[in-house]
Amino acid sequence: MKRVIFDTDIGIDDAMALLFLNYAPNVKLEAICTVSGNASITDVNRNALYVCERFGIDVPVYRGASGPIGPALTTGYPDFVHGRNGLGNLKYPKPKRRSKSIPAAEAMLRMARENPGQLSIVAVGRLTNIAHALNLCPELPDLLKELVVMGGVFMGGDHGGNVSPVAEANMGGDPAAADEVFGSGISTTIVGLDVTQNTIMDESFVAKLREHAGDAGQFIHDITRYYFDFYESINHARRCPIHDSSAVAYLLAPKLYTYKEGPVRVISEGLAMGQTILGEHPERYAIDAWRDRPSCRVCVGVDAKGVRALYQRCLSNAAIA
Ligand code: BDR
Ligand code: CA
């Protein structure tokens, strides 16, 4: 059984990832931590509460960081991708639930201390909350089982960044936090655009969910209208990458991925801000920026068909829930 804290800037693909975790067998979702990114912290927090309420996900929601710990490449929110409220402008009733009063970083730390070596974090937004938790307790890496991050791009294949030629959004939104987390020694796997942009979903994928995944399928259909409109406007096709659910897929079925290992740095200033660079052979270079940093696993290949099938399989549990 994987015990999971989901750290999210809950927009459209994050909501899909949350449902994936919720309906996956062998996952116990322990908490949701929110962080600004796809929309403001107020909006993403409300989105988390709404999705929990609608799907009976009975876990605490902890409100997290409203902004980055350092300079960011991006300012404002990507409403052209996720809509003004982060959920594709879906209209929904005000949630009755409230988030907990302690901040996300403190909650993470408290849970990790109470369950040493037991908890995995799936982080699909900026890494600000985890950086704050590390600043509160540098021993956090010893208390966590693992961290799976959706973020970055390592320039394998044809892929560049999605907020600059070299930067992915979750990294560009708080590069200093990401650099700190990747250097912390938490057992970390990074699922970046190199693989998420090779894991494509289209309208037929959503239609199948709508048919077989009950209200979850309907919800995914509704929130992805806006998302597909955006992708159609740039790619001229109603298809898009499966970003955040790829981190969940790695957690559930790591065999679907191949990876490289090495220290990862995130550029936190200048034109290349947000760029993620894997130093596979740090000993080869005179420069020591990658030396003496812990290794991360960086996904470079994916069985995309396997990921899509896994998602459909897990979501079909929604129809019987
Ligand atoms: C990442 O950025 C956000 O917009 C998505 O939710 C995803 O986590 C993709 O670059
Ligand atoms: Ca996200």
Side-chain angles (χ1 to χ4, degrees):
M1 180 67 72
K2 302 261 183 188
R3 298 177 60 191
V4 178
I5 299 172
F6 186 53
D7 191 18
T8 172
D9 58 334
I10 187 159
I12 294 168
D13 61 321
D14 306 65
M16 289 184 66
L18 173 55
L19 292 173
F20 195 8
L21 281 171
N22 185 51
Y23 293 113
N26 304 325
V27 167
K28 183 167 185 298
L29 188 60
E30 300 278 345
I32 297 171
C33 294
T34 58
V35 62
S36 69
N38 286 326
S40 70
I41 190 65
T42 304
D43 283 327
V44 298
N45 209 68
R46 193 190 303 115
N47 292 345
L49 293 165
Y50 168 68
V51 176
C52 286
E53 202 160 282
R54 177 159 168 177
F55 296 98
I57 304 172
D58 195 15
V59 299
V61 173
Y62 297 98
R63 186 182 170 110
S66 59
I69 62 168
L73 180 63
T74 46
T75 51
Y77 304 112
D79 53 359
F80 49 96
V81 185
H82 293 268
R84 279 183 314 281
N85 68 354
L87 281 186
N89 295 337
L90 181 81
K91 291 196 173 45
Y92 60 77
K94 194 172 167 200
K96 292 187 197 68
R97 293 187 192 197
R98 292 275 168 274
S99 40
K100 300 289 175 191
S101 54
I102 64 168
E106 280 176 39
M108 267 177 191
L109 190 53
R110 187 187 288 183
M111 287 184 279
R113 281 185 171 137
E114 286 169 1
N115 304 276
Q118 302 295 306
L119 300 177
S120 303
I121 299 181
V122 175
V124 296
R126 301 168 181 179
L127 299 180
T128 319
N129 291 334
I130 305 175
H132 281 310
L134 279 166
N135 292 340
L136 291 170
C137 173
E139 291 76 43
L140 181 66
D142 300 329
L143 299 173
L144 290 172
K145 185 169 182 198
E146 69 176 314
L147 168 67
V148 185
V149 172
M150 188 280 131
V153 57
F154 294 85
M155 311 304 246
D158 299 331
H159 301 302
N162 58 2
V163 289
S164 88
V166 295
E168 180 279 331
N170 293 337
M171 302 291 105
D174 197 349
D179 195 52
E180 184 175 342
V181 171
F182 296 155
S184 70
I186 302 175
S187 173
T188 299
T189 303
I190 307 169
V191 184
L193 299 181
D194 308 79
V195 295
T196 67
Q197 293 191 342
N198 286 339
T199 314
I200 298 297
M201 70 177 198
D202 60 12
E203 286 283 25
S204 71
F205 180 86
V206 174
K208 204 165 155 196
L209 289 170
R210 202 180 183 194
E211 209 175 302
H212 298 291
D215 188 40
Q218 182 61 46
F219 171 71
I220 290 168
H221 169 271
D222 294 346
I223 59 174
T224 52
R225 298 309 84 206
Y226 195 92
Y227 207 50
F228 277 127
D229 287 349
F230 164 71
Y231 278 101
E232 188 173 20
S233 75
I234 55 169
N235 294 332
H236 312 291
R238 292 186 77 75
R239 41 206 316 269
C240 65
I242 299 181
H243 288 308
D244 290 349
S245 291
S246 293
V248 178
Y250 177 86
L251 180 89
L252 300 176
K255 288 203 169 106
L256 293 172
Y257 293 86
T258 54
Y259 58 81
K260 291 182 172 182
E261 286 182 275
V264 172
R265 298 300 315 244
V266 185
I267 308 302
S268 53
E269 56 187 10
L271 206 56
M273 194 189 259
Q275 181 174 14
T276 40
I277 305 177
L278 168 68
E280 264 188 282
H281 301 287
E283 70 287 351
R284 286 186 191 165
Y285 308 105
I287 169 173
D288 63 4
W290 281 261
R291 259 188 239 145
D292 301 325
R293 296 253 303 182
S295 272
C296 300
R297 285 172 291 277
V298 172
C299 292
V300 291
V302 59
D303 170 359
K305 209 169 151 198
V307 173
R308 284 189 293 268
L310 180 63
Y311 192 90
Q312 292 283 353
R313 240 182 0 262
C314 291
L315 266 283
S316 65
N317 292 330
I320 47 175

